[in-house]
């Protein structure tokens, strides 16, 4: 129920009760302004967009901590989210009321990530996305009417062109690796698995008869929690990958030298058990990269890039490459590998020429088959 009454001091008092029966009131100099306010509130209640004015008084830090505690983040993600909020967001936004933070405030804060904290463009976007997720949740919880994180200008992220390893480089790397990891290099370049997925492969995931691999888990190293087997990155990461003969042969030799049970890991640490990423990098990968003469900074993802580039060079479609890599969509694949797809200009020319071939022949030749030169206006 809403009403408007004139006060003894000449002000107009507008009041209403929300869906929970709480009374809210405001005073206006003009009756028309009071009526407009009541109309807006009534419309928001009827459309389900109503936000209690007192809900936004909660501070950003208080709400963000509740949001963070409720989110089922993986350990690595949880650590990053906490750092984004405590290091970059709370010092500026933490004590402010949710409803008091404007789009201009968010633009100023986002710009400060570059100017004050000197963060790289990609890091700025990652930190901003964390804070934006908090505000989206606040809007869904009716703490605020809308998120202030819309239409924010963020620094452009320079696109780095992937330079994939050649087959010769992959083989050179495998040759330099310790014996227990040589097949891992071939396996990675022949399946395109992410490093964690590669470490998580168990014998039971391999169907030697059908020559397929079911990607069902990954091994992750988390600070403070050690090495653990966990779910994959996204729903699309769960996939079945065809195994080429070169991978089958490498696996057969590897399992003969390093036998594993049905539920055992194909690739293990020297002391047994799943591979620890940091130890693998320090004691095997970096040394082998240097010995093979590969570019400094070449990481295990280079095997995944080599796989993708081989598929693209063989003419596989974007959709097929995306599915093999376990990407969420083809747009993600193009964002990383667009420069590797062959230029379509020649195909375009051939397609149009083929479509107009009969007409072109009749234009170039007369009825007696004699070629007619093109006419040029003087």
């Amino acid at each position: 129920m809403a009403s408007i009454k004139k006060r003894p001091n000449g002000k107009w008092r507008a009041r209403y009760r929300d869906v929970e029966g709480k009374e809210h009131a405001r005073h206006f100099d003009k009756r028309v302004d009071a009526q407009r306010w009541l109309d807006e509130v009534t419309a928001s209640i009827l459309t389900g967009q109503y936000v209690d004015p007192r809900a936004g008084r909660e501070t950003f830090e208080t709400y963000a901590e509740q949001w963070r505690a409720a989110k089922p983040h993986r350990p690595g993600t949880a650590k990053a989210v906490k750092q984004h909020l405590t290091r970059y967001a709370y010092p500026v936004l933490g004590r402010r009321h949710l409803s008091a933070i404007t789009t201009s405030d968010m633009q100023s804060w986002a710009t400060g990530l570059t100017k004050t904290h000197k963060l790289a463009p990609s890091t700025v976007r990652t930190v901003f996305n964390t804070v934006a997720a908090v505000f989206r949740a606040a809007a869904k919880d009716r703490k605020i009417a809308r998120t202030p994180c819309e239409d924010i200008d963020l620094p452009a992220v320079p696109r780095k062109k992937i330079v994939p390893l050649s087959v010769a480089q992959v083989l050179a790397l495998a040759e330099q690796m310790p014996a227990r990891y040589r097949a891992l290099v071939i396996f990675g370049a022949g399946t395109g698995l992410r490093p964690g997925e590669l470490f998580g492969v168990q014998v039971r995931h391999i169907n030697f008869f059908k020559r397929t691999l079911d990607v069902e888990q990954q091994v992750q190293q988390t600070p403070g929690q050690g090495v653990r087997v966990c779910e994959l990155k996204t729903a699309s990461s769960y996939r079945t990958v065809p195994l080429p003969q070169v991978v089958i042969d490498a696996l057969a030799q590897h399992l003969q030298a390093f036998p594993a049970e049905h539920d055992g890991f194909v690739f293990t640490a020297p002391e047994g058990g799943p591979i620890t990423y940091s130890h693998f990098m320090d004691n095997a990968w970096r040394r082998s990269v240097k010995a093979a003469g590969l570019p400094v900074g070449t990481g295990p993802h280079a095997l995944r890039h080599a796989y993708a580039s081989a598929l693209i060079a063989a003419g596989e479609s974007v959709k097929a490459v995306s599915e093999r890599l376990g990407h969420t969509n083809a747009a993600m694949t193009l964002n990383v590998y667009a420069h590797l797809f062959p230029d379509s200009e020649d195909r375009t020319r051939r397609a149009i020429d083929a479509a107009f071939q009969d007409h072109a022949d009749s234009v170039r030749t007369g009825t007696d088959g004699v070629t007619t030169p093109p006419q040029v206006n003087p």
Side-chain angles (χ1 to χ4, degrees):
M1 181 176 180
S3 64
I4 300 176
K5 289 185 177 180
K6 191 172 185 179
R7 306 289 293 169
N9 61 1
K11 298 279 189 178
W12 293 91
R13 183 172 185 263
R15 62 177 182 174
Y16 70 93
R17 291 188 181 276
D18 61 24
V19 292
E20 296 180 353
K22 298 177 182 178
E23 184 178 281
H24 303 268
R26 283 185 61 181
H27 294 81
F28 299 88
D29 293 330
K30 298 179 180 180
R31 179 184 175 86
V32 66
D33 293 333
Q35 187 61 57
R36 183 182 298 110
W37 179 70
L38 283 181
D39 291 344
E40 292 174 353
V41 170
T42 301
S44 67
I45 292 176
L46 293 175
T47 58
Q49 301 299 314
Y50 176 75
V51 176
D52 187 337
R54 291 172 294 190
R57 295 176 186 173
E58 190 171 3
T59 66
F60 174 81
E61 182 173 352
T62 299
Y63 181 79
E65 284 299 293
Q66 295 171 359
W67 170 85
R68 189 169 66 85
K71 294 294 286 185
H73 287 140
R74 297 179 184 182
T77 303
K79 179 182 178 181
V81 166
K82 181 179 180 180
Q83 183 184 62
H84 296 165
L85 294 172
T86 56
R87 180 176 297 181
Y88 303 113
Y90 292 164
V92 179
L93 307 170
R95 296 184 180 181
R96 299 190 59 181
H97 295 163
L98 288 169
S99 59
I101 300 174
T102 66
T103 299
S104 295
D105 293 331
M106 293 309 301
Q107 181 64 72
S108 177
W109 171 76
T111 301
L113 293 177
T114 300
K115 293 185 175 181
T116 303
H117 294 284
K118 309 299 182 183
L119 298 184
S122 58
T123 307
V124 169
R125 288 178 176 268
T126 302
V127 173
F128 177 83
N129 288 339
T130 296
V131 174
V134 175
F135 278 110
R136 283 196 302 272
K140 291 180 180 178
D141 286 342
R142 294 288 186 269
K143 297 291 184 180
I144 52 178
R146 56 179 292 275
T147 171
C149 294
E150 297 176 348
D151 300 323
I152 302 299
D153 293 326
L154 300 175
V157 179
R159 179 175 294 181
K160 295 181 179 179
K161 288 188 176 183
I162 299 296
V163 179
L165 298 179
S166 65
V167 172
Q169 288 176 313
V170 171
L171 295 177
L173 176 61
E175 184 65 26
Q176 294 298 329
M177 290 288 280
R180 68 183 316 107
Y181 297 136
R182 286 174 186 164
L184 182 148
V185 173
I186 304 301
F187 196 100
T191 61
L193 269 61
R194 300 176 178 93
E197 296 171 345
L198 198 57
F199 299 160
V201 173
Q202 294 179 315
V203 176
R204 62 188 176 89
H205 297 142
I206 303 170
N207 187 322
F208 285 94
F209 179 72
K210 293 183 178 180
R211 297 201 305 172
T212 59
L213 167 71
D214 292 327
V215 186
E216 298 179 351
Q217 63 186 28
Q218 64 176 327
V219 169
Q220 291 288 314
Q221 181 181 7
T222 306
Q225 297 189 20
V227 176
R228 66 190 186 97
V229 179
C230 57
E231 68 279 3
L232 295 177
K233 188 176 182 181
T234 63
S236 56
S237 296
Y238 293 86
R239 61 200 188 277
T240 298
V241 179
L243 294 180
Q245 191 60 45
V246 64
V247 171
I248 294 292
D249 293 341
L251 275 175
Q253 294 179 15
H254 174 79
L255 290 175
Q256 185 175 4
F258 303 93
E261 299 295 330
H262 181 69
D263 290 330
F265 291 102
V266 173
F267 305 108
T268 61
E271 66 277 7
I275 295 174
T276 302
Y277 185 82
S278 59
H279 292 169
F280 172 76
M281 292 298 292
D282 292 340
N283 300 321
W285 183 268
R286 293 192 181 95
R287 294 178 181 178
S288 300
V289 165
K290 183 177 181 180
L294 301 186
V296 176
T298 298
H301 255 83
L303 302 178
R304 182 169 166 84
H305 298 324
Y307 175 78
S309 68
L311 295 186
I312 294 170
E316 285 281 19
S317 68
V318 178
K319 184 176 183 298
V321 176
S322 178
E323 290 175 350
R324 295 287 181 263
L325 293 174
H327 282 166
T328 303
N329 51 55
M332 181 181 296
T333 307
L334 282 174
N335 188 50
V336 180
Y337 301 109
H339 64 289
L340 296 181
F341 282 88
D343 194 292
S344 64
E345 289 183 0
D346 287 338
R347 289 201 301 270
T348 299
R349 295 187 185 99
R350 290 195 297 269
I352 301 303
D353 282 342
F356 283 82
Q357 187 63 50
D358 293 340
H359 176 71
D361 289 343
S362 65
V363 171
R364 288 195 299 268
T365 64
T367 56
D368 57 357
V370 178
T371 301
T372 303
Q375 299 298 314
V376 180
N377 294 325

